[in-house]
Amino acid sequence: MFKLLPLMLERVGLLLIAVFLLSRMKAFRHMIHQEKDGKEKWLLIAIFGAFGIISNYTGIEVEQGLISVYGWQTDVHEHSAIANTRILGVALGGFLGGPIVGLGVGAIAGFHRLTLGGYTAVACGISTLLAGIVTGLISPYLRLNGRISLWRAVPVGIVMECIQMGLILLIAKPFEDALKLVTVISVPMITINGFGTLLFLLIIQTIQQDVERTRALQTHKALYIADLTLPYFRKGLNPKACQDAAAIILKWTNADAISITDQHRVLAHAGAGSDHHIPLQAISTLLTKKVLEHGEILTANAPEEIQCEEKHCPLRAAIVLPLSVHNKTAGTLKLYFTDRSRMDQVEQELAEGLSRLISTQLEWADAELQSKLLKDAEIKALQAQVHPHFLFNAINTISVLCRTDPEKARQLLLQLSVFFRSNLQGARQMLIPLHKELEHVEAYLVLEKARFPEKFTVDTVIDPSLEQVLIPPFTIQPLVENAIRHAFSAFEETRTGHISIRAYREDDKLVLITKDDGKGIPADLLASLGNRTVKSEQGTGTALHNIQRRIAEIYNGEAAFLIRSEAGTEVTLRVPIKYSSQGD
């Protein structure tokens, strides 16, 4: 009996070495810690089934109560039996994988033991299958705080070994040989298998603790990065803020380069490949377009999948993650690696956590912005500036034309409906396409032109590629109205005022200029206009003040609003280019 103890301990040591080596593999650690799906259950059956087979082959042959063969067991004599650690591997499979894995491992190890022969083959085969089923069924009850309790599982392993001894006594013939065998092997096998179960579960617990510790560190790192980038992402997805945020993410992750995009272009790139991955260029890679389209995380494991046009680009792998705002993909976060092996599971999980946190930050920024707009009610203040007499005058003009020029009256009526529909749409939206604001301006000008055909002329020069750029509503129309009502109010009837509206691109900004050749603004009022309302016989400056405030809050310092008055008044607006995600 005591001679068998060190031999059994050697066999347990072999399995422990195998489990230790497996514990260094990320895939195995992931399987141990996560809920098992079908594929992972099959892998666990294969692994622990192999442990059962190895235990059979490395067993110690016992005949007539004596140790007869130490070597590899392939064909057991009909009067012999095997002392081994088979139940240990089967029980572990059931503990970790549940009923399906326990049944599978028990069936594999039990059937293999049956094929080796010996007078205990049937008893051992049945006990092995039973051990897999029982440990699998009771595995949920052995867990404490999500982990297998050592002091619950180890006694179960010992009981399974005791049951095997009982089945040998019940089934194996002749009984005298079975009794003599159990007398010799029971204490060593029960002791060693119980001790082995304890050591195995300690290794498994260490794996789980390591995974949880790593995740805790990654969560802490993700929250720390999110805290550092919060001031920038609160400004929304704009080039300057994203460039600063990308530099922070690059510093605190193992990525070799970071890119951030919106729906149409690269907003920032920091790190390797900066010489040719240039911000503000249109998105060209199919991988990023797929993420934007489907809102799912994708990875590139080779340069061909990244699709960089630069032949000697150092980037070899990438994780592309969606940045979502209100369940819509607003952009992407991309982590690039110069070495494929650096893009491990830990980095992917960190990146996923970051993308969720950044998406939340962007949603907060959007909600905060809309809250400011609702609280201050600037759009309502702008709507209130549509004086009642404008509506009455427009209706009177249309009613007169109904008798003299019905077709023109019909056209004016259509323009009046466009004007007020634009008012309503502007009240519901924070940003609208440039062409929508120009439609509002056009409707207003047509109505005013019908009343004062010779009072003013207007020319508009707009870059067609900018028509879908988003701007705040009531941005141009109040400026045009100010020119007609105030700038040209002192003109003689023979003099015609001129208004020009221009829109063009300047780097990553849309530049909007509204200019008139009217009487200009007094120097003592010019410094105040736009910053606050003023008291004046010509008006209060509410329109300019509201435009200035809304632009400051929407773009968080990324836009500029400038008023000049030299031989007329010129108002210049510079805002970041952000395109509408759909046509009209």
Side-chain angles (χ1 to χ4, degrees), residues 215-499:
R215 288 188 174 175
L217 290 172
Q218 292 300 88
T219 299
H220 175 75
K221 182 186 281 190
L223 289 170
Y224 181 70
I225 295 171
D227 184 57
L228 293 176
T229 57
L230 179 59
Y232 304 103
F233 284 119
R234 283 185 68 179
K235 299 177 182 178
L237 289 175
N238 67 74
K240 186 177 186 306
C242 288
Q243 190 64 45
D244 292 335
I248 292 171
I249 297 171
L250 179 66
K251 179 180 177 181
W252 291 100
T253 64
N254 290 328
D256 298 298
I258 301 292
S259 279
I260 301 172
T261 78
D262 60 14
Q263 292 179 321
H264 303 281
R265 58 182 180 155
V266 178
L267 298 175
H269 185 95
S274 295
D275 58 328
H276 58 279
H277 285 268
I278 301 171
L280 306 183
Q281 292 183 342
I283 294 170
S284 58
T285 64
L286 184 61
L287 192 69
T288 305
K289 290 177 180 177
K290 284 183 178 179
V291 173
L292 287 168
E293 182 180 353
H294 300 292
E296 297 176 352
I297 300 170
L298 295 176
T299 59
N301 297 298
E304 295 76 22
E305 296 177 29
I306 294 176
Q307 299 174 322
C308 180
E309 296 177 358
E310 176 63 35
K311 183 178 180 182
H312 302 291
C313 180
L315 306 178
R316 293 290 179 269
I319 311 168
V320 185
L321 307 106
L323 298 177
S324 302
V325 179
H326 304 306
N327 297 319
K328 294 183 179 178
T329 305
T332 64
L333 170 67
K334 298 192 280 188
L335 281 71
Y336 289 107
F337 300 86
T338 55
D339 183 351
R340 167 68 184 85
S341 63
R342 288 164 61 87
M343 191 178 72
D344 56 20
Q345 186 66 30
V346 172
E347 284 300 309
Q348 292 188 43
E349 290 181 2
L350 172 61
E352 289 177 31
L354 270 179
S355 74
R356 286 192 292 268
L357 289 169
I358 293 170
S359 295
T360 302
Q361 289 176 350
L362 293 173
E363 288 189 1
W364 285 347
D366 186 62
E368 186 179 63
L369 180 57
Q370 294 194 44
S371 176
K372 286 180 181 178
L373 292 175
L374 290 172
K375 178 184 69 179
D376 295 331
E378 290 117 346
I379 289 188
K380 292 186 182 296
L382 286 168
Q383 284 183 295
Q385 288 198 49
V386 180
H387 296 286
H389 72 255
F390 168 76
L391 175 59
F392 298 147
N393 289 334
I395 292 175
N396 285 336
T397 301
I398 292 170
S399 65
V400 170
L401 288 172
C402 283
R403 294 190 297 271
T404 60
D405 192 343
E407 179 58 27
K408 187 172 183 180
R410 189 181 73 84
Q411 294 296 328
L412 289 179
L413 194 59
L414 290 173
Q415 291 299 325
L416 185 63
S417 70
V418 170
F419 179 81
F420 282 103
R421 185 170 66 248
S422 297
N423 272 13
L424 293 173
Q425 289 176 343
R428 292 195 300 265
Q429 295 174 286
M430 184 173 60
L431 296 169
I432 62 172
L434 174 60
H435 74 89
K436 285 291 185 184
E437 179 69 5
L438 292 173
E439 285 178 7
H440 190 203
V441 173
E442 177 65 21
Y444 175 79
L445 289 172
V446 169
L447 293 167
E448 285 293 285
K449 198 76 171 172
R451 292 181 60 224
F452 308 108
E454 305 299 329
K455 186 176 182 179
F456 62 88
T457 60
V458 179
D459 72 85
T460 305
V461 181
I462 307 295
D463 183 344
S465 67
L466 301 174
E467 289 185 351
Q468 291 295 333
V469 173
L470 297 173
I471 64 169
F474 305 106
T475 302
I476 305 175
Q477 188 274 332
L479 300 178
V480 173
E481 183 176 351
N482 273 356
I484 295 172
R485 287 178 56 202
H486 303 302
F488 304 147
S489 60
F491 279 16
E492 299 177 0
E493 292 186 4
T494 56
R495 183 178 173 187
T496 300
H498 181 72
I499 302 171

Side-chain angles (χ1 to χ4, degrees), residues 95-314:
F95 290 152
L96 295 175
I100 295 176
V101 174
L103 175 62
V105 174
I108 292 172
F111 178 76
H112 181 261
R113 174 63 189 91
L114 194 63
T115 62
L116 294 180
Y119 69 99
T120 62
V122 174
C124 290
I126 293 173
S127 64
T128 303
L129 180 61
L130 183 63
I133 294 172
V134 171
T135 55
L137 288 173
I138 67 173
S139 63
Y141 306 101
L142 302 178
R143 296 181 182 275
L144 192 63
N145 297 325
R147 297 180 185 172
I148 297 174
S149 169
L150 295 177
W151 310 118
R152 294 179 184 179
V154 171
V156 172
I158 291 173
V159 169
M160 290 298 101
E161 198 64 59
C162 292
I163 290 174
Q164 178 171 240
M165 297 301 142
L167 288 173
I168 290 173
L169 291 174
L170 286 173
I171 298 173
K173 302 297 180 185
F175 177 78
E176 292 76 14
D177 288 350
L179 180 60
K180 187 180 293 185
L181 174 69
V182 169
T183 303
V184 173
I185 70 171
S186 58
V187 173
M189 286 184 65
I190 292 171
T191 303
I192 295 301
N193 282 330
F195 180 64
T197 301
L198 176 65
L199 293 179
F200 270 91
L201 291 177
L202 283 172
I203 293 175
I204 299 302
Q205 282 197 356
T206 302
I207 292 173
Q208 293 175 327
Q209 289 169 356
D210 286 347
V211 171
E212 289 171 3
R213 192 179 298 113
T214 300
R215 288 188 174 175
L217 290 172
Q218 292 300 88
T219 299
H220 175 75
K221 182 186 281 190
L223 289 170
Y224 181 70
I225 295 171
D227 184 57
L228 293 176
T229 57
L230 179 59
Y232 304 103
F233 284 119
R234 283 185 68 179
K235 299 177 182 178
L237 289 175
N238 67 74
K240 186 177 186 306
C242 288
Q243 190 64 45
D244 292 335
I248 292 171
I249 297 171
L250 179 66
K251 179 180 177 181
W252 291 100
T253 64
N254 290 328
D256 298 298
I258 301 292
S259 279
I260 301 172
T261 78
D262 60 14
Q263 292 179 321
H264 303 281
R265 58 182 180 155
V266 178
L267 298 175
H269 185 95
S274 295
D275 58 328
H276 58 279
H277 285 268
I278 301 171
L280 306 183
Q281 292 183 342
I283 294 170
S284 58
T285 64
L286 184 61
L287 192 69
T288 305
K289 290 177 180 177
K290 284 183 178 179
V291 173
L292 287 168
E293 182 180 353
H294 300 292
E296 297 176 352
I297 300 170
L298 295 176
T299 59
N301 297 298
E304 295 76 22
E305 296 177 29
I306 294 176
Q307 299 174 322
C308 180
E309 296 177 358
E310 176 63 35
K311 183 178 180 182
H312 302 291
C313 180

Side-chain angles (χ1 to χ4, degrees), residues 551-566:
I551 286 170
E553 290 178 353
I554 289 173
Y555 296 105
N556 289 292
E558 294 296 318
F561 183 79
L562 177 65
I563 305 173
R564 298 173 59 193
S565 186
E566 297 175 3

